[in-house]
Amino acid sequence: MDLLRRVAVVAVLLSLPSRGRSGGGGSDLHPVVLVPGYGSNRLYARLTAAYEPAAPRCGAREGKDEWFQLWPIDAAASEPAQAPCLAEKMSLVYDPVADDYRNVAGVVTRVPSFASTRALVGWDPLVRQLEAMGHRDGGSLFAAPYDFRYAVAPRGHPSAVGERYFARLTRLIERASRLNGGRPAVVVAHSFGCALTYQFLRARPLAWRQRFVKHAVLLAAALGGFAEGMDGLASGAGSGLPNLAPPARTRLARSQQSALWRLPTPMVFGDRPVVVTKNSTYSANNITEFLDAIGFTEGVQPYVTRVLPMWRALPAPMVPVTSMYGVGVRTPETFVYGEAGFEGTPEVVYGDGDGNMNIVSLMAAEKEWSGVEGQILKVVRLPGVSHVGFFSDLALKKVVAEIQKAVSSIEVHRKEKIFSFLNNFEFTIPVPLGW
Protein backbone atom coordinates (compact mmCIF):
# COMPACT_ATOMS: atom_id res chain seq x y z
CA MET A 1 0.00 0.00 0.00
CA ASP A 2 1.60 3.27 -1.09
CA LEU A 3 1.57 6.47 0.93
CA LEU A 4 -1.31 8.13 -0.94
CA ARG A 5 -3.54 5.09 -0.49
CA ARG A 6 -2.73 4.97 3.23
CA VAL A 7 -3.64 8.64 3.62
CA ALA A 8 -6.89 7.97 1.77
CA VAL A 9 -7.70 5.11 4.17
CA VAL A 10 -7.12 7.41 7.15
CA ALA A 11 -9.38 10.08 5.68
CA VAL A 12 -12.19 7.63 5.01
CA LEU A 13 -11.99 5.97 8.42
CA LEU A 14 -11.98 9.27 10.29
CA SER A 15 -15.00 10.46 8.33
CA LEU A 16 -17.10 7.44 9.24
CA PRO A 17 -19.72 7.92 11.99
CA SER A 18 -18.89 6.37 15.34
CA ARG A 19 -20.43 3.09 16.40
CA GLY A 20 -23.96 3.75 17.58
CA ARG A 21 -25.53 6.99 18.77
CA SER A 22 -26.22 8.26 22.26
CA GLY A 23 -29.86 8.21 23.27
CA GLY A 24 -29.30 11.69 24.63
CA GLY A 25 -29.55 13.65 21.40
CA GLY A 26 -27.10 12.06 18.98
CA SER A 27 -23.76 12.93 20.59
CA ASP A 28 -21.04 10.31 20.87
CA LEU A 29 -20.91 10.21 24.65
CA HIS A 30 -20.71 7.41 27.12
CA PRO A 31 -23.88 7.13 29.24
CA VAL A 32 -23.81 8.56 32.75
CA VAL A 33 -25.38 6.94 35.83
CA LEU A 34 -25.74 9.14 38.92
CA VAL A 35 -25.65 7.59 42.41
CA PRO A 36 -26.73 10.20 44.99
CA GLY A 37 -25.61 10.73 48.55
CA TYR A 38 -27.59 9.84 51.66
CA GLY A 39 -29.91 12.86 51.75
CA SER A 40 -30.54 13.20 48.01
CA ASN A 41 -32.98 10.29 47.72
CA ARG A 42 -36.77 10.42 47.83
CA LEU A 43 -38.63 7.84 49.87
CA TYR A 44 -42.37 7.11 49.66
CA ALA A 45 -44.41 5.08 52.12
CA ARG A 46 -47.86 3.72 52.77
CA LEU A 47 -49.42 2.21 55.88
CA THR A 48 -51.17 -1.15 55.97
CA ALA A 49 -53.52 -2.68 58.51
CA ALA A 50 -50.51 -4.23 60.27
CA TYR A 51 -49.23 -0.79 61.32
CA GLU A 52 -49.75 -0.12 65.03
CA PRO A 53 -48.65 3.44 65.83
CA ALA A 54 -47.30 4.31 69.25
CA ALA A 55 -49.66 7.32 69.29
CA PRO A 56 -53.09 7.39 67.59
CA ARG A 57 -52.25 10.53 65.62
CA CYS A 58 -49.39 8.71 63.92
CA GLY A 59 -51.74 6.31 62.18
CA ALA A 60 -54.27 8.86 60.95
CA ARG A 61 -53.76 9.98 57.39
CA GLU A 62 -56.00 11.25 54.63
CA GLY A 63 -56.27 8.87 51.70
CA LYS A 64 -55.78 5.63 53.59
CA ASP A 65 -53.49 3.11 51.88
CA GLU A 66 -52.19 5.77 49.51
CA TRP A 67 -48.52 6.50 48.98
CA PHE A 68 -47.10 9.63 50.63
CA GLN A 69 -43.64 11.19 50.69
CA LEU A 70 -41.74 10.03 53.74
CA TRP A 71 -38.46 11.77 52.81
CA PRO A 72 -37.54 14.58 52.35
CA ILE A 73 -39.82 15.83 55.08
CA ASP A 74 -42.29 18.66 54.59
CA ALA A 75 -42.75 21.56 57.00
CA ALA A 76 -45.67 19.95 58.84
CA ALA A 77 -43.83 16.69 59.43
CA SER A 78 -40.85 18.54 60.88
CA GLU A 79 -42.95 20.18 63.60
CA PRO A 80 -42.30 18.85 67.14
CA ALA A 81 -45.74 17.23 67.38
CA GLN A 82 -45.32 15.31 64.12
CA ALA A 83 -41.63 14.45 64.35
CA PRO A 84 -42.12 11.32 66.55
CA CYS A 85 -44.63 9.95 64.04
CA LEU A 86 -42.23 10.46 61.18
CA ALA A 87 -39.36 8.91 63.12
CA GLU A 88 -41.48 5.87 63.88
CA LYS A 89 -42.29 5.31 60.19
CA MET A 90 -38.67 5.83 59.15
CA SER A 91 -37.17 3.45 61.70
CA LEU A 92 -35.86 0.00 60.84
CA VAL A 93 -35.83 -3.20 62.86
CA TYR A 94 -32.83 -5.52 62.98
CA ASP A 95 -33.82 -9.17 63.39
CA PRO A 96 -30.82 -11.03 64.86
CA VAL A 97 -32.37 -14.40 64.00
CA ALA A 98 -32.95 -13.54 60.35
CA ASP A 99 -29.74 -11.47 60.41
CA ASP A 100 -31.32 -8.72 58.35
CA TYR A 101 -33.05 -5.35 58.57
CA ARG A 102 -36.68 -4.59 57.71
CA ASN A 103 -39.23 -1.80 57.99
CA VAL A 104 -41.45 -1.40 61.04
CA ALA A 105 -44.47 -3.72 60.69
CA GLY A 106 -47.19 -2.19 58.54
CA VAL A 107 -44.92 0.37 56.85
CA VAL A 108 -44.27 -0.28 53.16
CA THR A 109 -41.71 1.91 51.40
CA ARG A 110 -40.49 2.44 47.86
CA VAL A 111 -38.00 4.64 46.03
CA PRO A 112 -39.85 6.49 43.25
CA SER A 113 -38.68 7.16 39.69
CA PHE A 114 -35.74 4.78 39.69
CA ALA A 115 -33.47 5.39 36.66
CA SER A 116 -34.67 8.98 36.23
CA THR A 117 -32.82 12.10 37.37
CA ARG A 118 -36.20 13.45 38.49
CA ALA A 119 -35.81 11.20 41.51
CA LEU A 120 -32.82 13.12 42.87
CA VAL A 121 -32.88 15.93 45.43
CA GLY A 122 -30.42 18.80 44.96
CA TRP A 123 -28.73 17.50 41.78
CA ASP A 124 -30.45 19.89 39.35
CA PRO A 125 -27.36 22.10 38.77
CA LEU A 126 -25.28 19.11 37.67
CA VAL A 127 -28.11 17.58 35.65
CA ARG A 128 -28.55 20.84 33.72
CA GLN A 129 -24.84 20.91 32.92
CA LEU A 130 -24.92 17.32 31.69
CA GLU A 131 -27.95 18.10 29.53
CA ALA A 132 -26.02 21.01 28.03
CA MET A 133 -23.35 18.48 27.03
CA GLY A 134 -25.97 16.52 25.07
CA HIS A 135 -27.22 14.00 27.64
CA ARG A 136 -30.93 13.36 28.02
CA ASP A 137 -32.80 11.78 30.91
CA GLY A 138 -33.56 8.17 30.04
CA GLY A 139 -31.38 8.30 26.92
CA SER A 140 -27.78 8.65 28.05
CA LEU A 141 -28.41 10.05 31.53
CA PHE A 142 -29.76 7.96 34.39
CA ALA A 143 -30.00 7.98 38.17
CA ALA A 144 -29.89 5.15 40.70
CA PRO A 145 -31.57 6.37 43.91
CA TYR A 146 -31.92 4.00 46.87
CA ASP A 147 -33.44 3.63 50.32
CA PHE A 148 -30.72 5.42 52.30
CA ARG A 149 -31.65 3.69 55.56
CA TYR A 150 -30.32 0.36 54.29
CA ALA A 151 -26.93 -0.86 53.10
CA VAL A 152 -25.52 -4.20 51.95
CA ALA A 153 -23.81 -7.02 53.81
CA PRO A 154 -20.78 -9.27 53.23
CA ARG A 155 -21.07 -12.66 51.61
CA GLY A 156 -22.85 -15.15 53.84
CA HIS A 157 -25.16 -12.54 55.39
CA PRO A 158 -28.56 -11.63 53.91
CA SER A 159 -29.39 -8.09 52.86
CA ALA A 160 -32.69 -8.22 50.99
CA VAL A 161 -33.00 -4.51 50.26
CA GLY A 162 -29.32 -3.99 49.47
CA GLU A 163 -29.11 -7.02 47.18
CA ARG A 164 -32.24 -5.87 45.35
CA TYR A 165 -30.68 -2.43 44.82
CA PHE A 166 -27.44 -3.90 43.47
CA ALA A 167 -29.45 -6.07 41.06
CA ARG A 168 -31.39 -3.01 39.82
CA LEU A 169 -28.18 -1.00 39.45
CA THR A 170 -26.62 -3.84 37.45
CA ARG A 171 -29.57 -3.92 35.06
CA LEU A 172 -29.61 -0.13 34.77
CA ILE A 173 -25.93 0.08 33.81
CA GLU A 174 -26.33 -2.73 31.28
CA ARG A 175 -29.41 -0.99 29.82
CA ALA A 176 -27.59 2.35 29.65
CA SER A 177 -24.81 0.67 27.70
CA ARG A 178 -27.23 -1.12 25.37
CA LEU A 179 -29.09 2.13 24.57
CA ASN A 180 -25.82 3.85 23.73
CA GLY A 181 -24.19 1.59 21.19
CA GLY A 182 -22.68 -0.78 23.73
CA ARG A 183 -20.51 1.92 25.27
CA PRO A 184 -19.69 1.36 28.96
CA ALA A 185 -21.14 3.78 31.49
CA VAL A 186 -19.55 6.49 33.61
CA VAL A 187 -20.80 6.24 37.20
CA VAL A 188 -20.86 9.51 39.17
CA ALA A 189 -21.45 9.10 42.91
CA HIS A 190 -21.50 11.40 45.93
CA SER A 191 -20.89 10.75 49.64
CA PHE A 192 -22.67 7.60 50.87
CA GLY A 193 -23.36 6.80 47.23
CA CYS A 194 -19.58 6.42 46.79
CA ALA A 195 -19.47 3.75 49.49
CA LEU A 196 -22.32 1.86 47.83
CA THR A 197 -20.73 2.26 44.39
CA TYR A 198 -17.39 0.96 45.64
CA GLN A 199 -18.95 -2.12 47.24
CA PHE A 200 -21.09 -2.61 44.13
CA LEU A 201 -18.04 -2.63 41.88
CA ARG A 202 -16.17 -5.01 44.16
CA ALA A 203 -19.16 -7.38 44.15
CA ARG A 204 -19.36 -7.56 40.34
CA PRO A 205 -17.04 -9.88 38.36
CA LEU A 206 -13.98 -8.14 36.97
CA ALA A 207 -15.01 -8.98 33.41
CA TRP A 208 -18.38 -7.29 33.99
CA ARG A 209 -16.73 -4.16 35.43
CA GLN A 210 -14.37 -3.86 32.51
CA ARG A 211 -17.19 -4.38 30.01
CA PHE A 212 -19.84 -2.07 31.47
CA VAL A 213 -18.07 0.59 33.59
CA LYS A 214 -15.74 2.93 31.78
CA HIS A 215 -15.01 5.27 34.68
CA ALA A 216 -16.14 6.09 38.22
CA VAL A 217 -16.17 9.71 39.38
CA LEU A 218 -16.35 9.73 43.18
CA LEU A 219 -17.28 12.98 44.92
CA ALA A 220 -16.38 13.14 48.63
CA ALA A 221 -15.70 9.42 48.85
CA ALA A 222 -14.99 8.92 52.53
CA LEU A 223 -14.36 5.17 52.31
CA GLY A 224 -13.12 4.97 55.88
CA GLY A 225 -16.16 6.35 57.68
CA PHE A 226 -15.97 9.59 59.63
CA ALA A 227 -15.83 10.88 63.21
CA GLU A 228 -19.38 12.24 63.19
CA GLY A 229 -20.57 8.67 62.69
CA MET A 230 -19.73 7.88 66.31
CA ASP A 231 -21.27 11.05 67.69
CA GLY A 232 -24.40 10.39 65.64
CA LEU A 233 -24.95 7.05 67.36
CA ALA A 234 -24.24 8.56 70.77
CA SER A 235 -26.52 11.59 70.44
CA GLY A 236 -28.74 10.98 67.40
CA ALA A 237 -27.26 14.01 65.68
CA GLY A 238 -27.64 14.07 61.91
CA SER A 239 -30.98 12.26 61.86
CA GLY A 240 -32.47 14.99 59.68
CA LEU A 241 -35.20 15.69 62.24
CA PRO A 242 -34.05 18.70 64.26
CA ASN A 243 -37.32 18.96 66.21
CA LEU A 244 -37.20 15.37 67.41
CA ALA A 245 -36.43 14.94 71.11
CA PRO A 246 -33.09 13.23 71.90
CA PRO A 247 -34.40 9.80 73.03
CA ALA A 248 -36.52 9.28 69.90
CA ARG A 249 -33.85 10.88 67.71
CA THR A 250 -31.23 8.49 69.04
CA ARG A 251 -33.48 5.47 68.54
CA LEU A 252 -34.09 6.48 64.93
CA ALA A 253 -30.37 6.97 64.22
CA ARG A 254 -29.44 3.62 65.74
CA SER A 255 -32.18 1.70 63.94
CA GLN A 256 -30.86 2.38 60.46
CA GLN A 257 -28.47 -0.10 58.89
CA SER A 258 -26.56 2.65 57.09
CA ALA A 259 -25.66 4.33 60.41
CA LEU A 260 -23.13 1.61 61.18
CA TRP A 261 -21.43 2.24 57.83
CA ARG A 262 -20.60 5.78 58.97
CA LEU A 263 -18.44 4.59 61.82
CA PRO A 264 -14.69 5.25 61.35
CA THR A 265 -12.91 2.11 60.23
CA PRO A 266 -9.84 0.69 61.99
CA MET A 267 -7.70 0.45 58.85
CA VAL A 268 -8.13 4.18 58.15
CA PHE A 269 -8.47 5.81 61.59
CA GLY A 270 -6.45 3.37 63.68
CA ASP A 271 -5.94 4.55 67.28
CA ARG A 272 -6.88 8.20 66.69
CA PRO A 273 -9.11 9.35 69.59
CA VAL A 274 -12.59 10.03 68.20
CA VAL A 275 -14.76 10.07 71.33
CA VAL A 276 -13.37 11.00 74.73
CA THR A 277 -15.22 10.78 78.06
CA LYS A 278 -14.11 11.40 81.63
CA ASN A 279 -12.98 7.80 82.02
CA SER A 280 -12.45 6.42 78.52
CA THR A 281 -11.13 7.16 75.07
CA TYR A 282 -12.69 5.47 72.05
CA SER A 283 -11.06 5.02 68.66
CA ALA A 284 -11.96 3.04 65.57
CA ASN A 285 -10.15 0.08 67.13
CA ASN A 286 -12.61 -0.30 70.01
CA ILE A 287 -15.99 0.42 68.41
CA THR A 288 -17.66 -2.51 70.17
CA GLU A 289 -16.72 -1.08 73.59
CA PHE A 290 -18.08 2.28 72.44
CA LEU A 291 -21.39 0.73 71.37
CA ASP A 292 -21.71 -0.92 74.78
CA ALA A 293 -20.85 2.35 76.53
CA ILE A 294 -23.63 4.30 74.79
CA GLY A 295 -26.16 1.56 75.53
CA PHE A 296 -26.37 0.29 71.96
CA THR A 297 -25.44 -3.31 72.69
CA GLU A 298 -27.84 -4.59 70.01
CA GLY A 299 -25.65 -2.86 67.46
CA VAL A 300 -22.58 -4.97 68.28
CA GLN A 301 -23.62 -8.10 66.36
CA PRO A 302 -24.51 -6.37 63.06
CA TYR A 303 -21.38 -4.19 63.30
CA VAL A 304 -19.04 -7.14 63.87
CA THR A 305 -20.62 -9.52 61.36
CA ARG A 306 -22.16 -7.27 58.69
CA VAL A 307 -20.08 -4.08 58.60
CA LEU A 308 -16.53 -4.65 59.79
CA PRO A 309 -15.75 -7.43 57.26
CA MET A 310 -16.70 -5.12 54.37
CA TRP A 311 -14.34 -2.35 55.45
CA ARG A 312 -11.31 -4.23 56.80
CA ALA A 313 -9.52 -3.49 53.54
CA LEU A 314 -9.98 -1.33 50.44
CA PRO A 315 -8.94 -3.41 47.43
CA ALA A 316 -8.72 -1.39 44.22
CA PRO A 317 -11.93 -1.58 42.13
CA MET A 318 -9.90 -2.03 38.92
CA VAL A 319 -11.89 0.47 36.89
CA PRO A 320 -10.56 3.99 36.19
CA VAL A 321 -11.44 6.32 39.08
CA THR A 322 -11.42 10.08 39.54
CA SER A 323 -11.67 10.98 43.23
CA MET A 324 -12.65 14.57 44.01
CA TYR A 325 -12.87 15.89 47.54
CA GLY A 326 -12.88 19.13 49.50
CA VAL A 327 -10.06 20.17 51.81
CA GLY A 328 -9.34 23.04 54.15
CA VAL A 329 -12.79 23.08 55.75
CA ARG A 330 -13.09 22.83 59.53
CA THR A 331 -14.25 19.28 60.24
CA PRO A 332 -15.19 17.56 63.54
CA GLU A 333 -12.39 15.20 64.52
CA THR A 334 -12.79 14.44 68.22
CA PHE A 335 -15.84 14.69 70.50
CA VAL A 336 -15.05 15.30 74.18
CA TYR A 337 -17.91 14.57 76.60
CA GLY A 338 -17.82 16.16 80.04
CA GLU A 339 -19.28 15.31 83.46
CA ALA A 340 -22.72 14.57 82.00
CA GLY A 341 -21.27 11.85 79.79
CA PHE A 342 -23.20 10.98 76.67
CA GLU A 343 -26.22 12.87 78.03
CA GLY A 344 -24.38 16.15 77.66
CA THR A 345 -23.21 18.22 74.70
CA PRO A 346 -19.63 17.38 73.69
CA GLU A 347 -16.84 19.82 73.06
CA VAL A 348 -15.65 19.41 69.48
CA VAL A 349 -12.04 19.39 68.35
CA TYR A 350 -11.74 20.23 64.66
CA GLY A 351 -9.32 19.16 61.95
CA ASP A 352 -9.08 19.14 58.16
CA GLY A 353 -11.65 17.74 55.77
CA ASP A 354 -14.76 18.92 53.92
CA GLY A 355 -16.80 19.91 56.94
CA ASN A 356 -18.29 16.45 57.45
CA MET A 357 -15.74 13.93 56.19
CA ASN A 358 -12.28 13.77 57.77
CA ILE A 359 -9.27 14.21 55.52
CA VAL A 360 -7.82 10.84 56.55
CA SER A 361 -10.95 9.13 55.21
CA LEU A 362 -11.21 11.25 52.07
CA MET A 363 -7.62 10.27 51.26
CA ALA A 364 -8.15 6.56 51.96
CA ALA A 365 -8.70 5.59 48.32
CA GLU A 366 -5.71 7.65 47.24
CA LYS A 367 -3.51 6.00 49.83
CA GLU A 368 -4.64 2.44 49.11
CA TRP A 369 -4.97 2.52 45.31
CA SER A 370 -2.03 4.66 44.23
CA GLY A 371 0.59 2.43 42.67
CA VAL A 372 -1.69 -0.58 42.31
CA GLU A 373 -0.85 -2.16 38.97
CA GLY A 374 -3.69 -1.73 36.51
CA GLN A 375 -5.62 0.75 38.63
CA ILE A 376 -6.02 4.20 37.04
CA LEU A 377 -6.60 6.86 39.70
CA LYS A 378 -6.81 10.62 39.40
CA VAL A 379 -7.20 12.76 42.55
CA VAL A 380 -8.62 16.28 42.45
CA ARG A 381 -8.52 18.27 45.70
CA LEU A 382 -10.87 21.23 45.95
CA PRO A 383 -9.73 23.79 48.55
CA GLY A 384 -12.59 25.34 50.47
CA VAL A 385 -15.29 23.07 49.01
CA SER A 386 -17.57 21.60 51.66
CA HIS A 387 -19.24 18.21 51.61
CA VAL A 388 -22.52 19.66 50.38
CA GLY A 389 -20.85 22.20 48.09
CA PHE A 390 -20.08 20.04 45.06
CA PHE A 391 -22.99 21.44 43.08
CA SER A 392 -22.25 25.07 43.90
CA ASP A 393 -20.56 27.41 41.45
CA LEU A 394 -17.24 26.99 43.25
CA ALA A 395 -16.93 23.29 42.45
CA LEU A 396 -19.50 22.53 39.74
CA LYS A 397 -17.34 23.59 36.79
CA LYS A 398 -14.50 21.35 37.93
CA VAL A 399 -16.85 18.42 38.54
CA VAL A 400 -18.40 18.81 35.09
CA ALA A 401 -14.95 19.09 33.49
CA GLU A 402 -13.89 15.76 35.01
CA ILE A 403 -17.12 14.07 33.94
CA GLN A 404 -16.71 15.46 30.44
CA LYS A 405 -13.22 13.98 30.21
CA ALA A 406 -14.63 10.61 31.22
CA VAL A 407 -17.56 10.56 28.79
CA SER A 408 -16.03 12.18 25.72
CA SER A 409 -13.09 9.95 24.88
CA ILE A 410 -14.77 7.69 22.33
CA GLU A 411 -13.37 9.69 19.40
CA VAL A 412 -9.89 9.35 20.86
CA HIS A 413 -10.37 5.61 21.22
CA ARG A 414 -11.63 5.31 17.64
CA LYS A 415 -8.64 7.19 16.27
CA GLU A 416 -6.30 5.10 18.40
CA LYS A 417 -7.75 1.99 16.77
CA ILE A 418 -7.27 3.51 13.32
CA PHE A 419 -3.64 4.35 13.92
CA SER A 420 -3.12 0.94 15.51
CA PHE A 421 -4.35 -0.46 12.20
CA LEU A 422 -1.89 1.71 10.31
CA ASN A 423 0.95 0.53 12.52
CA ASN A 424 0.71 -2.83 10.79
CA PHE A 425 2.40 -1.16 7.78
CA GLU A 426 5.92 0.10 7.62
CA PHE A 427 6.19 3.55 6.14
CA THR A 428 7.56 6.95 7.04
CA ILE A 429 6.09 10.41 6.60
CA PRO A 430 8.40 13.42 6.49
CA VAL A 431 7.53 15.73 9.41
CA PRO A 432 8.20 19.46 8.93
CA LEU A 433 10.30 21.14 11.60
CA GLY A 434 8.23 22.94 14.22
CA TRP A 435 5.21 20.68 13.79
Side-chain angles (χ1 to χ4, degrees):
M1 184 183 290
D2 58 30
L3 178 58
L4 290 178
R5 291 178 62 192
R6 293 179 186 123
V7 172
V9 169
V10 173
V12 170
L13 290 174
L14 290 178
S15 68
L16 292 175
S18 298
R19 173 173 55 96
R21 284 293 181 185
S22 167
S27 60
D28 289 309
L29 302 173
H30 289 262
V32 175
V33 177
L34 306 176
V35 182
Y38 181 92
S40 295
N41 299 273
R42 299 186 191 277
L43 188 62
Y44 283 13
R46 67 180 179 86
L47 307 179
T48 71
Y51 180 60
E52 298 181 358
R57 68 177 182 277
C58 293
R61 186 169 187 86
E62 295 182 6
K64 187 178 180 181
D65 294 333
E66 291 186 358
W67 292 98
F68 60 93
Q69 184 166 294
L70 186 61
W71 181 270
I73 58 176
D74 57 29
S78 64
E79 294 176 357
Q82 292 296 320
C85 300
L86 179 62
E88 184 177 288
K89 297 179 181 72
M90 287 184 64
S91 295
L92 298 183
V93 176
Y94 173 66
D95 185 341
V97 177
D99 187 26
D100 204 358
Y101 288 80
R102 58 173 173 78
N103 286 342
V104 171
V107 177
V108 181
T109 54
R110 67 180 176 88
V111 178
S113 304
F114 184 82
S116 172
T117 58
R118 294 190 301 272
L120 306 183
V121 178
W123 283 61
D124 289 351
L126 177 59
V127 170
R128 287 194 295 268
Q129 291 289 327
L130 295 175
E131 289 175 340
M133 289 167 52
H135 291 285
R136 293 294 178 266
D137 189 42
S140 61
L141 182 59
F142 306 87
Y146 50 87
D147 189 333
F148 53 88
R149 302 169 302 160
Y150 290 89
V152 292
R155 182 173 298 182
H157 295 271
S159 182
V161 173
E163 290 166 6
R164 188 158 55 246
Y165 174 69
F166 275 12
R168 296 184 80 185
L169 181 55
T170 300
R171 292 193 296 270
L172 176 60
I173 291 175
E174 291 174 351
R175 175 172 167 248
S177 175
R178 186 171 62 252
L179 290 175
N180 290 272
R183 291 186 285 273
V186 173
V187 180
V188 181
H190 177 242
S191 191
F192 185 63
C194 295
L196 283 176
T197 297
Y198 170 70
Q199 293 293 353
F200 168 78
L201 292 172
R202 290 292 304 163
R204 302 281 79 78
L206 179 59
W208 187 94
R209 284 177 255 165
Q210 295 177 340
R211 166 64 183 85
F212 289 105
V213 180
K214 177 181 183 291
H215 206 104
V217 179
L218 305 181
L219 310 177
L223 299 184
F226 53 107
E228 283 186 333
M230 291 180 71
D231 179 63
L233 289 180
S235 65
S239 67
L241 300 175
N243 291 320
L244 188 63
R249 186 175 66 195
T250 304
R251 286 195 299 271
L252 171 61
R254 296 178 184 180
S255 77
Q256 298 184 7
Q257 180 185 5
S258 56
L260 293 176
W261 271 38
R262 302 174 205 160
L263 291 169
T265 62
M267 74 159 292
V268 172
F269 279 78
D271 286 322
R272 296 167 181 258
V274 180
V275 172
V276 178
T277 66
K278 182 179 178 181
N279 300 315
S280 301
T281 297
Y282 300 97
S283 72
N285 280 327
N286 57 350
I287 292 292
T288 55
E289 291 87 344
F290 167 75
L291 296 177
D292 283 331
I294 64 175
F296 187 30
T297 55
E298 63 270 29
V300 172
Q301 178 182 333
Y303 170 73
V304 171
T305 62
R306 298 170 61 88
V307 178
L308 196 56
M310 301 195 74
W311 298 104
R312 278 203 177 102
L314 291 175
M318 303 313 293
V319 299
V321 172
T322 296
S323 175
M324 307 182 71
Y325 57 84
V327 297
V329 182
R330 200 170 73 145
T331 305
E333 196 168 88
T334 306
F335 296 85
V336 183
Y337 287 85
E339 293 291 336
F342 294 115
E343 299 298 322
T345 301
E347 176 186 347
V348 181
V349 178
Y350 293 90
D352 194 7
D354 67 7
N356 293 99
M357 306 299 173
N358 306 98
I359 188 66
V360 65
S361 188
L362 292 168
M363 293 179 64
E366 179 181 359
K367 179 180 177 182
E368 295 299 318
W369 304 344
S370 294
V372 174
E373 184 178 357
Q375 175 62 58
I376 298 173
L377 174 65
K378 179 179 180 180
V379 176
V380 180
R381 299 176 186 83
L382 302 173
V385 173
S386 70
H387 189 69
V388 295
F390 274 91
F391 306 139
S392 65
D393 291 340
L394 181 62
L396 185 59
K397 289 183 179 179
K398 294 182 179 179
V399 171
V400 171
E402 293 302 325
I403 296 174
Q404 191 164 25
K405 292 173 187 175
V407 302
S408 302
S409 62
I410 187 166
E411 283 298 313
V412 173
H413 290 172
R414 188 162 64 97
K415 292 173 183 177
E416 285 176 350
K417 289 181 180 179
I418 292 171
F419 285 104
S420 175
F421 160 77
L422 292 175
N423 283 337
N424 290 327
F425 302 98
E426 293 184 3
F427 66 94
T428 60
I429 300 177
V431 179
L433 292 176
W435 216 39

